[in-house]
């Protein structure tokens, strides 16, 4: 038995890169994007080919298997292993050279595809294959799986773009595989020469035949291409350290024809007939996967057919030719790049979207719909047989009582689908096996390949004899023996595979629901089901975002897997499993990974399966610190409403501000409060918003009543926002009231119903609070108590029809989502959530005829991440447009994120998040730009890092009204 300590010592002595055998490193690599889980011994991040050779030598000495890993987005289980995982994303991730004349690039295996595309684009070039994970998948992983993507009808598979490879064999030999037997290991040519007849007859002729080893690429009539034969070998033959790849000329202009059909069968039958027009893509999907907001022509299924040209007119003409040739229900041709990107996002997110289907009766059904899983993600048939195959496929699913929504590369006959297998129970797993065996036979009957893109891995390798027969599979085993006689590389994949129903990642999770504080309504109240949402497609690992996207700011700041949404979900999964992370809710591994989660909620909207890490973090902190002393910041900032309320009652704002301005005293206060020394303590106002309100009198006017929420930030730190909102709302003809702090005896005005509502509002006193600061620090018992008191105080408001206008986006998001999920046993919380409106929503719904003042100025600044993730931005965009405010505030996250950026140890990451989008957008903005920032955190970050004053939209409009 291997002594792991000796292995660790040997690796650290031999390898210059990082060697990490900690529970965290192992937990982060137990899974990829498949149904499988294998626990590695440790992770090595090699710096170069010498490190790879050294790691292989040490592992061979101890008989420990090695698994190469890129972005970890493999769907068949091949990026997991029980030995040492080689992580190429940390160091071996560079573009070494790019030759525009030769149209080639030299890349390292850990290079993310989008980085290559960005480097090639200025030369009018691109790498042809482009899987939907292009923003995080690596070239090494693409070569290992022979990835394809939506443009394969034009530019083929990854194998079609590989010219030469550099590999290290398991026994340390350095080879450069290419054409004409270049880089072939000893014995490979003799093996092939003895099997020429089989190689010429045993492999189906398909554009997407990925299953098994591509040994037929070694035929003399195919150029004896050793590099091509390694594509799709899933890291089982050699370890890639470098690749020379071909680039293609990118069309200068593109058009997207969206062809609508009555149903999926109609779209599938039509796809092959469009290939004669030379399209760049022929992608298909049905209505099941399309959000209701998608701007698609009417129909039940669609083909996305992209065309190219030197000019927009040429690309459009080709698209319109295809529309005329197609027999469609409806069609749309789009040439605007932004609109094309929006449509393509619908397709790219399908791999995540398909994991949650509405309704159903599967045992895995949760409140948010049926859970669906990969496993038969990408089998392929001849394109002309796709329609018939899909009918048989759906019939087979019905026979087994399963559901799934096929989509994908219709032009290549390659189908993606997530199926609602029950992988939690014995009978469900048995049905998964029976279905897999019968579907394999169905694919073969249609002349297809078990894998058409993502490889066989563990999901399909056991079934390869059904496709190739025993003798060809035996040939694969002989090929493996030539390259890897010690079976060191990724054992259990492709040859001598592990059973397709072994090592399922769900088997280690608790069988009974975990006792939790939040209700998790979209997951049937089951925290394990919530954690299972992460299927590993890793959209959170995107290194750069554009537009309004937020997820995942901490990963973009650190580049570390444990600071991605996926990484944190993996650690929570292992915490529930209890094998690697053994301390449960007390886990320091999970705590440390969640420490840099900004609770921005970006994953709630940007993650295709809507993982809500902010809620999971609050849940974890609640349990982790139960009965224990918390960090000082939890008391200093978690209880912020209490401290600020005390300052207001004692009228001590002047004294507090004076003390905060004295360096030594401020430093001491920050140390005691767990606040970063680099931060300035915000100034507390002398006159709170409600004190100003009481002195003002009112409400005034005869219009519809709206109740303005005096959140903690508006009340104590920026009452100018509240005053501005009152000015604008009243100018729009609305009557503004505050919740229970209204002064008794206020002059009743308006109709009888409004006067009754006002009399109820003035009947109680007290302070309402959304509980945000307690939720974000995981003080959920306190948050519940605060929210219940708030609901008691708001009962008069809830008895009326008046909306609650919340100016601070984070508070509005807390009331709209956190409150009903935390108080899932109190129906008043849901009624309150339904009343919550943002400033822009209030004007749009309750003053639709009001016209704002027109400023005719550009905008910059920050869209609050909770606004983007929970509340929606469309009403704000329409209000800005009506006011002549052009452009968009920055996406991403400002990095302050409430208490996060103030906590000790977070300043560097907080600043890096601000530099991601916010600060560059402000620096590059025109001098007359309006700096918008509705969130107090965003305004504070702007002021402290850039010396710029951001303003709430209400302040901008109020100032314009005054003029």
């Amino acid at each position: 038995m291997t002594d792991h300590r000796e292995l660790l010592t040997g690796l650290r002595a031999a390898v210059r890169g990082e060697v990490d055998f900690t529970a965290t490193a192992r937990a982060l690599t137990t899974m990829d994007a498949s149904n499988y889980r294998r626990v590695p011994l440790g992770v090595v991040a090699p710096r170069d080919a010498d490190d790879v050779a050294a790691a292989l030598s040490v592992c061979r000495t101890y008989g420990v298997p090695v698994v190469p890993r890129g972005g970890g987005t493999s769907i068949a289980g091949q990026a997991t292993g029980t030995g040492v995982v080689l992580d190429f994303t940390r160091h071996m991730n560079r573009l070494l050279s790019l030759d525009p004349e030769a149209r080639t690039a030299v890349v390292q295996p850990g290079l993310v595809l989008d980085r290559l595309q960005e480097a090639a684009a200025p030369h009018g070039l691109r790498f042809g294959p482009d899987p939907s994970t292009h923003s995080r998948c690596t070239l090494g992983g693409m070569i290992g799986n022979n990835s394809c993507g939506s443009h394969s009808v034009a530019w083929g598979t990854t194998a079609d773009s590989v010219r030469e490879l550099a590999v290290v064999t398991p026994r340390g030999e350095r080879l450069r595989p290419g054409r004409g037997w270049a880089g072939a290991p000893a014995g490979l040519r003799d093996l092939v020469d003895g099997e020429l007849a089989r190689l010429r007859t045993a492999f189906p002729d398909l554009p997407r035949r990925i299953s098994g080893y591509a040994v037929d690429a070694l035929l003399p009539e195919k150029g004896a291409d050793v590099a091509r034969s390694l594509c799709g070998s899933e890291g089982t033959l050699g370890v890639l350290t470098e690749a020379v790849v071909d680039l293609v000329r990118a069309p200068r202009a593109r058009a997207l024809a969206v062809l609508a059909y009555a149903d999926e069968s109609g779209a599938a039958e039509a796809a092959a007939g469009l290939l004669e027009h030379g399209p760049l893509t022929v992608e298909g999907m049905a209505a099941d996967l399309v959000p209701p907001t998608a701007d698609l022509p009417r129909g039940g299924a669609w083909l996305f057919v992209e065309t190219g040209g030197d000019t927009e007119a040429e690309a459009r003409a080709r698209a319109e030719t295809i529309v005329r040739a197609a027999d469609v229900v409806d069609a749309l041709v789009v040439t605007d790049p932004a609109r094309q990107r929006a449509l393509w996002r619908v397709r790219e997110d399908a791999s995540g979207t398909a994991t949650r289907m509405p309704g159903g009766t599967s045992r895995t059904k949760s409140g948010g719909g049926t859970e669906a899983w990969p496993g038969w993600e990408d089998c392929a048939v001849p394109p002309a047989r796709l329609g018939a195959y899909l009918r048989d496929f759906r019939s087979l699913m019905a026979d087994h009582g399963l559901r799934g929504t096929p989509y994908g590369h219709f032009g290549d006959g390659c189908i993606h689908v997530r199926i609602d297998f029950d992988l939690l129970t014995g009978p469900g797993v048995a049905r998964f096996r029976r279905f897999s065996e019968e579907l394999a036979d169905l694919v073969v009957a249609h002349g297809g390949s078990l894998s058409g893109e993502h490889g066989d891995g563990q999901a399909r390798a056991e079934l390869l004899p059904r496709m190739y027969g025993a003798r060809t599979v035996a040939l694969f085993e002989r090929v493996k023996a030539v390259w890897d006689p010690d079976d060191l590389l990724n054992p259990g994949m492709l040859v001598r595979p592990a059973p397709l129903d072994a090592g399922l990642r769900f088997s280690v999770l608790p069988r009974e629901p975990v006792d939790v504080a939040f209700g998790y309504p979209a997951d049937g109240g089951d925290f394990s089901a919530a954690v299972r949402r992460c299927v590993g497609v890793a959209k959170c690992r995107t290194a750069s975002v554009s537009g309004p996207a937020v997820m995942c700011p901490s990963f973009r700041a650190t580049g570390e897997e444990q600071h991605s949404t996926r990484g944190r979900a993996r650690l929570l999964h292992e915490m529930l499993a209890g094998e690697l992370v053994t301390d449960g809710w007390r886990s320091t591994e999970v705590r440390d990974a969640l420490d840099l989660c900004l609770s921005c909620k970006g994953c709630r909207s940007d993650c295709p399966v809507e993982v809500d890490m902010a809620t999971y973090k609050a849940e974890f902190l609640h349990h982790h610190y139960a009965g224990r002393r918390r960090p000082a910041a939890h008391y200093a900032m978690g209880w912020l409403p209490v401290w600020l309320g005390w300052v207001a009652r004692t009228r001590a704002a002047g004294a507090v501000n004076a003390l905060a301005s004295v360096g030594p005293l401020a430093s001491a206060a920050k140390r005691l409060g767990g606040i970063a020394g680099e931060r300035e303590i915000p100034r507390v106002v002398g006159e709170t918003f409600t004190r100003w309100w009481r002195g003002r009198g009112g409400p005034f006017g005869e219009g519809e009543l709206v109740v303005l929420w005096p959140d903690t930030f508006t009340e104590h730190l920026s009452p100018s926002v509240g005053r501005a909102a009152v000015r604008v709302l009243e100018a729009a003809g609305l009557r503004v009231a505050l919740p229970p702090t209204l002064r008794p005896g206020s002059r009743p005005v308006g109709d009888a119903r409004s006067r009754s509502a006002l009399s109820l509002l003035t009947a109680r006193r007290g302070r309402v609070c959304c509980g945000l600061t307690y939720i974000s620090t995981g003080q959920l018992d306190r948050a519940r108590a605060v929210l219940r008191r708030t609901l008691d105080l708001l009962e008069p408001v809830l008895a009326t029809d008046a909306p609650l206008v919340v100016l601070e986006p984070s508070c509005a998001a807390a009331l709209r989502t956190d409150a009903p999920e935390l108080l899932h046993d109190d129906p008043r919380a849901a009624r309150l959530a339904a009343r919550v409106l943002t400033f822009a929503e209030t004007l749009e719904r309750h003053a639709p005829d009001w016209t704002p003042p027109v400023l005719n100025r550009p905008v910059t600044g920050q869209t609050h991440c909770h606004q983007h993730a929970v509340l929606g931005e469309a009403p704000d965009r329409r209000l800005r447009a009506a006011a002549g405010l052009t452009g968009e505030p920055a996406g991403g996250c400002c990095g302050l994120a409430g208490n996060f950026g103030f906590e000790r140890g977070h300043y560097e990451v907080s600043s890096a998040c601000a530099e991601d989008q916010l600060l560059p957008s402000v620096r590059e903005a025109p001098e007359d730009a309006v700096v918008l920032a509705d969130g107090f955190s965003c305004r504070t970050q702007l002021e402290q890092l850039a010396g710029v004053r951001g303003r709430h939209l209400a302040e901008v409009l109020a100032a314009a009204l005054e003029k």
Side-chain angles (χ1 to χ4, degrees):
M1 183 175 178
T2 301
D3 187 326
H4 298 162
R5 289 170 298 183
E6 290 185 12
L7 173 66
L8 176 60
T9 300
L11 285 169
R12 285 180 171 165
V15 174
R16 289 178 294 111
E18 291 80 4
V19 178
D20 194 344
F21 277 41
T22 63
T24 295
R26 298 168 67 201
L28 292 171
T29 49
T30 55
M31 293 173 276
D32 49 16
S34 71
N35 297 326
Y36 301 99
R37 172 182 177 271
R38 294 196 291 176
V39 181
L41 298 176
V43 180
V44 172
R47 290 188 177 274
D48 51 27
D50 291 341
D51 266 3
V52 171
L56 287 170
S57 176
V58 173
C59 289
R60 187 172 64 254
T61 298
Y62 289 96
V64 172
V66 175
V67 178
R69 181 178 170 109
T73 56
S74 297
I75 290 178
Q78 60 267 56
T80 66
T82 57
V84 169
V85 173
L86 296 181
D87 176 10
F88 289 99
T89 62
R90 182 167 299 186
H91 300 301
M92 297 182 68
N93 56 11
R94 290 176 295 154
L95 171 62
L96 299 178
S97 66
L98 193 151
D99 186 340
E101 296 300 321
R103 297 186 188 177
T104 60
V106 182
V107 303
Q108 291 184 316
L111 178 69
V112 170
L113 174 58
D114 271 4
R115 305 291 82 77
L116 174 59
Q117 305 289 39
E118 290 164 2
H123 305 287
L125 302 173
R126 57 164 290 146
F127 188 70
D130 57 344
S132 60
T133 53
H134 54 83
S135 63
R136 59 269 192 199
C137 70
T138 64
L139 270 295
M142 292 179 67
I143 292 168
N145 292 341
N146 196 7
S147 299
C148 309
S150 60
H151 288 87
S152 59
V153 295
W155 297 317
T157 71
T158 296
D160 295 312
S161 296
V162 168
R163 181 173 294 192
E164 183 181 281
L165 303 176
V167 301
V168 180
T169 70
R171 290 191 173 179
E173 189 177 3
R174 312 280 183 101
L175 300 176
R176 294 197 69 88
R179 294 176 65 86
W181 290 110
L188 183 62
R189 186 168 187 173
D190 290 340
L191 188 157
V192 168
D193 287 344
E195 295 284 353
L196 293 177
R198 177 163 299 279
L199 294 180
R200 288 180 173 127
T201 59
F203 293 81
D205 184 16
L206 290 168
R208 288 295 194 94
R209 191 254 302 159
I210 306 298
S211 282
Y213 289 135
V215 195
D216 58 323
L218 298 173
L219 285 166
E221 61 266 30
K222 294 186 178 181
D225 194 337
V226 182
R228 189 183 184 94
S229 76
L230 283 173
C231 294
S233 59
E234 302 180 16
T236 61
L237 302 182
V239 180
L240 176 70
T241 59
E242 192 176 294
V244 181
V245 298
D246 291 321
L247 304 174
V248 297
R249 179 67 62 188
R252 294 178 180 176
R254 301 187 193 202
L256 179 61
V258 183
L259 310 180
Y261 295 85
D263 53 32
E264 171 190 274
S265 293
E269 296 282 2
L274 302 178
L275 299 179
E276 64 184 71
H277 299 284
L280 300 177
T281 69
V282 183
E283 298 288 291
M285 61 191 307
D288 315 52
L289 291 174
V290 176
T293 55
D295 184 16
L296 296 177
R298 59 185 178 85
W302 297 268
L303 292 180
F304 284 26
V305 184
E306 188 178 72
T307 58
D310 288 334
T311 65
E312 180 181 311
E314 185 179 339
R316 174 178 280 278
R318 289 176 176 169
E320 290 173 344
T321 298
I322 288 174
V323 170
R324 288 192 295 271
D327 183 13
V328 297
V329 173
D330 196 3
L332 172 72
V333 174
V334 179
T335 55
D336 175 59
R339 194 175 177 194
Q340 287 185 43
R341 285 193 297 270
L343 289 168
W344 276 119
R345 276 196 292 272
V346 175
R347 163 63 184 86
E348 290 176 357
D349 285 348
S351 61
T353 307
T355 66
R356 283 296 190 279
M357 295 184 296
T361 57
S362 164
R363 184 188 183 280
T364 54
K365 180 181 182 293
S366 66
T370 304
E371 296 171 290
W373 307 109
W376 282 97
E377 178 67 13
D378 64 332
C379 46
V381 298
R385 295 192 60 85
L386 181 61
Y389 166 72
L390 278 176
R391 285 190 290 273
D392 290 345
F393 172 72
R394 283 197 177 274
S395 177
L396 182 64
M397 282 198 298
D399 290 345
H400 285 269
L402 297 170
R403 296 192 309 149
T405 303
Y407 66 98
H409 314 296
F410 281 25
D412 273 333
C414 180
I415 293 301
H416 296 321
V417 63
R418 298 291 172 102
I419 300 174
D420 65 338
F421 299 117
D422 168 12
L423 300 178
L424 301 178
T425 69
V429 173
R431 180 170 60 169
F432 166 61
R433 168 171 281 280
R434 290 194 304 273
F435 176 83
S436 298
E437 292 168 345
E438 292 179 31
L439 181 54
D441 291 338
L442 178 63
V443 172
V444 173
H446 281 275
S449 172
L450 302 186
S451 172
E453 180 162 20
H454 295 132
D456 299 304
Q458 186 177 343
R460 288 175 288 271
E462 182 190 350
L463 302 171
L464 285 177
R466 295 172 182 258
M467 175 180 170
Y468 284 112
R471 292 185 62 182
T472 301
V473 170
L475 173 61
F476 293 159
E477 293 179 4
R478 291 165 61 197
V479 170
K480 166 76 167 173
V482 168
W483 283 95
D484 182 16
D486 305 307
D487 200 19
L488 190 74
L489 293 180
N490 215 358
M493 299 295 122
L494 280 178
V495 300
R496 295 180 293 278
L500 62 87
D501 53 355
L504 295 171
R505 66 185 178 98
F506 317 101
S507 63
V508 296
L509 293 176
R511 285 292 175 262
E512 298 299 324
V514 178
D515 185 24
V516 286
F518 283 97
Y520 302 99
D523 296 292
D526 186 352
F527 185 67
S528 294
V531 171
R532 284 200 305 267
R533 277 182 174 271
C534 180
V535 292
V537 296
K539 190 177 179 182
C540 51
R541 281 180 54 92
T542 301
S544 61
V545 297
S546 59
V550 172
M551 180 183 72
C552 178
S554 53
F555 173 78
R556 290 197 298 279
T558 70
E560 298 285 345
E561 172 77 12
Q562 67 176 318
H563 299 141
S564 69
T565 305
R566 181 180 74 172
R568 294 173 179 125
R570 291 292 181 255
L571 284 163
L572 286 167
H573 185 110
E574 295 302 330
M575 179 194 82
L576 294 173
E579 178 183 347
L580 275 175
V581 179
T582 57
D583 295 334
W585 294 113
R586 301 296 196 195
S587 164
T588 56
E589 296 91 350
V590 178
R591 180 201 65 197
D592 292 347
L594 288 171
D595 181 57
L596 290 186
C597 171
L598 287 84
S599 297
C600 68
K601 291 186 179 286
C603 47
R604 186 172 178 127
S605 61
D606 295 350
C607 172
V609 291
E610 299 178 356
V611 168
D612 186 359
M613 195 54 62
T615 297
Y616 305 169
K617 176 181 180 178
E619 185 76 63
F620 175 82
L621 293 176
H622 168 69
H623 295 280
H624 185 77
Y625 289 110
R628 296 200 291 178
R629 184 177 179 180
R630 289 174 166 272
H634 288 197
Y635 301 107
M637 286 174 280
W639 285 63
L640 189 65
V642 173
W643 308 137
L644 292 177
W646 176 83
V647 171
R649 286 193 303 275
T650 59
R651 298 180 181 268
V656 169
N657 292 335
L659 292 173
S661 65
V662 178
L665 294 176
S667 297
K670 286 186 277 191
R671 281 196 302 273
L672 289 172
I675 298 172
E678 299 91 339
R679 288 291 178 188
E680 296 178 21
I681 298 175
R683 299 307 170 104
V684 184
V685 298
E687 182 183 51
T688 64
F689 172 59
T690 53
R691 191 171 294 158
W692 168 83
W693 173 264
R694 288 196 297 268
R696 173 181 182 270
F700 300 104
E702 300 287 335
E704 184 179 352
L705 177 69
V706 297
V707 178
L708 186 62
W709 183 271
D711 64 86
T712 296
F713 307 100
T714 300
E715 173 74 357
H716 300 284
L717 300 172
S718 57
S720 61
V721 173
R723 295 194 296 267
V726 171
R727 173 76 176 89
V728 176
L729 293 170
E730 289 182 343
L734 300 173
R735 271 181 308 131
V736 182
L738 265 62
T741 54
L742 280 175
R743 186 175 56 173
S746 296
R747 178 167 57 92
V749 294
D751 57 31
R753 185 174 184 180
S754 296
R755 289 197 298 271
S756 174
L758 282 172
S759 65
L760 285 170
L761 285 171
T762 59
R764 299 186 182 196
R765 287 183 178 273
R767 288 291 304 145
V768 293
C769 180
C770 68
L772 170 69
T773 58
Y774 305 107
I775 294 169
S776 63
T777 54
Q779 301 180 74
L780 300 185
D781 289 336
R782 173 67 181 173
R784 272 195 292 249
V786 166
L787 283 168
R788 289 194 194 281
R789 184 193 69 193
T790 293
L791 288 171
D792 291 342
L793 291 166
L794 284 175
E795 282 189 353
V797 179
L798 298 178
T800 75
D801 295 330
L804 277 167
V805 187
V806 186
L807 302 173
E808 173 60 41
S810 56
C811 295
L815 290 168
R816 191 174 284 182
T817 59
D818 294 326
E821 291 175 16
L822 193 57
L823 296 182
H824 47 90
D825 57 345
D826 191 332
R828 298 178 301 169
R831 295 207 307 272
L832 169 61
R835 295 288 186 85
V836 170
L837 297 179
T838 66
F839 174 71
E841 285 174 331
T842 303
L843 291 170
E844 185 170 82
R845 296 186 193 181
H846 296 277
D849 298 327
W850 180 69
T851 302
V854 178
L855 289 89
N856 290 327
R857 291 173 64 184
V859 298
T860 184
Q862 179 77 66
T863 297
H864 195 287
C865 46
H866 290 187
Q867 179 93 36
H868 165 78
V870 176
L871 306 171
E873 305 161 78
D876 291 77
R877 289 197 184 101
R878 289 190 286 268
L879 179 56
R880 292 198 301 266
L885 295 171
T886 58
E888 292 285 338
C893 179
C894 75
L896 193 62
N899 57 292
F900 175 85
F902 274 97
E903 290 184 10
R904 185 183 301 128
H906 292 173
Y907 182 80
E908 184 177 351
V909 169
S910 175
S911 301
C913 291
E915 286 289 354
D916 183 44
Q917 288 197 60
L918 173 60
L919 298 185
S921 72
V922 172
R923 294 189 198 106
E924 296 163 8
E927 289 187 8
D928 64 337
V930 176
V931 182
L932 286 177
D934 282 3
F936 176 77
S937 291
C938 308
R939 295 194 297 273
T940 303
Q941 187 80 312
L942 277 167
E943 183 178 354
Q944 295 199 0
L945 296 187
V948 173
R949 181 178 181 269
R951 293 188 291 169
H952 194 287
L953 182 55
E955 292 181 288
V956 174
L957 296 180
L961 286 172
E962 295 303 325
K963 292 180 180 179

